[in-house]
Amino acid sequence: MSRTARRMVASGLVTGTSGNVTVRTPEGDVPITPSGLDYEVLEPEDVVRVDPEGRPLEGSLKPSSETPMHVGIYRSRLRVGAVVHTHARCATTLACLGWEIPPVHYMLTALSGDGWVPLAPYAAYGSEELAGHVSKALGESRQVCLLQNHGTIAVGKSTEEALHRTVILEEMAEIYYRVRIAGEPILLTPEQVAEVAAKIVDYGQSKPSDAS
Ligand SMILES: [Zn+2]
């Protein structure tokens, strides 16, 4: 997990201590990156373990302030195995504009069955209110969402999958932002989105509409 956290830094998705990554263990508890510790110096023994309610089980460091958001997702989405949270620049720019991402590019079907990336309303970081907004925005089947005036969330079966979805989300956010500056986007129709969703299954990837 500390390796994934460092990969987020290397990919430019996070800077300094913004953002965090968690997994759910087979026992149901959640190792989480510590609060305020730079990923560049993060070692496996620095990771804090919390129970499904977000209470620390072991580890001397204080868990990330975003713990309620992560454990809230695991409670509402039983098949999710990993959560990645970032303040990635383009996606966060859209979130600060209060924009969702509509089905403007076919790759969005890999993130959400209907091609839309929803926006969770603003609430203070680390709050139970924000955790509730995020779980509601993700619903039962979406793999990513934007957090208004804050950043991004992506879920997956593994940290690799959640990180990969964050990379796609950031790419899609940049494209949508550029399109909006240049003119009026052409949106895919529901039929076109459904056609691509079926093709992505043929690629052997996980079905976008599958809850994970
Ligand atoms: Zn954050």
Side-chain angles (χ1 to χ4, degrees):
M1 199 174 76
S2 55
R3 194 187 61 207
T4 303
R6 277 196 294 270
R7 268 174 49 201
M8 292 203 303
V9 175
S11 65
L13 290 171
V14 306
T15 52
T17 61
S18 73
N20 41 49
V21 52
T22 59
V23 295
R24 171 165 31 203
T25 68
E27 295 75 39
D29 53 4
V30 179
I32 191 162
T33 45
S35 178
L37 188 68
D38 202 309
Y39 293 132
E40 306 279 0
V41 299
L42 188 63
E43 298 296 338
E45 62 270 22
D46 293 332
V47 170
V48 183
R49 198 171 277 254
V50 300
D51 71 9
E53 302 303 320
R55 292 179 293 248
L57 294 179
E58 60 186 59
S60 56
L61 297 164
K62 195 165 154 261
S64 163
S65 53
E66 298 294 11
T67 299
M69 184 165 69
H70 288 255
V71 295
I73 293 168
Y74 292 120
R75 283 200 303 267
S76 62
R77 292 278 292 274
L78 298 180
R79 292 174 60 197
V80 163
V83 175
V84 167
H85 165 59
T86 75
H87 300 171
R89 282 199 179 88
C90 274
T92 302
T93 300
L94 302 195
C96 293
L97 287 162
W99 294 358
E100 295 184 312
I101 305 179
V104 71
H105 190 286
Y106 81 87
M107 277 301 288
L108 286 159
T109 60
L111 305 177
S112 160
D114 61 4
W116 281 83
V117 175
L119 176 75
Y122 179 78
Y125 80 94
S127 65
E128 290 292 345
E129 188 186 4
L130 177 60
H133 289 332
V134 169
S135 289
K136 196 169 170 199
L138 288 173
E140 293 182 357
S141 63
R142 292 179 197 275
Q143 316 296 359
V144 298
C145 72
L146 300 175
L147 315 182
Q148 189 184 326
N149 302 100
H150 186 159
T152 71
I153 282 284
V155 302
K157 291 185 176 65
S158 62
T159 53
E160 287 75 17
E161 189 172 58
L163 182 59
H164 179 61
R165 286 170 174 161
T166 304
V167 172
I168 297 174
L169 173 60
E170 177 65 355
E171 183 185 18
M172 293 296 109
E174 183 176 355
I175 288 167
Y176 181 53
Y177 181 72
R178 286 167 180 262
V179 169
R180 284 285 298 264
I181 289 172
E184 199 55 40
I186 301 168
L187 300 189
L188 297 172
T189 64
E191 293 74 27
Q192 288 168 330
V193 169
E195 181 189 13
V196 174
K199 261 182 188 292
I200 284 179
V201 174
D202 288 344
Y203 281 146
Q205 298 183 15
S206 61
K207 194 175 173 181
S209 59
D210 263 4
S212 66

